[in-house]
Amino acid sequence: MNIYHLTDCKSTVGILQLASFCDSKCSVRCSRAGMKDRCLKYCGICCEKCDCVPSGTYGNKNECPCYRDMKNSKGKPKCP
């Protein structure tokens, strides 16, 4: 299993790398989602905040505790 992390995103280049990192990892994570646009949106939000996306298309959230623990306003998991 691959765990994807990106650190040191303080520069403009770092921010662009984070966006590219998140886009890449979220496209894999959401590749089998029924509501792909929604999955990509929330995966991107979670990735930017946590610098991590779990491997695979489902599960494996223990690889990224920040991603796993983010909740929406109703207390449900925010990240796909």
Side-chain angles (χ1 to χ4, degrees), residues 9-35:
C9 294
K10 294 183 169 91
S11 68
T12 302
V13 172
I15 292 168
L16 294 175
Q17 287 174 337
L18 177 61
S20 176
F21 169 83
C22 290
D23 288 348
S24 169
K25 301 309 172 197
C26 288
S27 68
V28 172
R29 184 75 178 171
C30 297
S31 64
R32 299 180 73 193
M35 299 166 108

Side-chain angles (χ1 to χ4, degrees), residues 37-53:
D37 291 343
R38 182 181 288 178
C39 182
L40 289 169
K41 174 184 175 180
Y42 288 105
C43 180
I45 290 168
C46 296
C47 177
E48 287 179 19
K49 191 160 198 158
C50 298
D51 300 332
C52 181
V53 175

Side-chain angles (χ1 to χ4, degrees), residues 2 4 25 28-30 53-60 63:
N2 295 328
Y4 308 110
K25 301 309 172 197
V28 172
R29 184 75 178 171
C30 297
V53 175
S55 62
T57 58
Y58 183 81
N60 304 317
E63 297 172 354

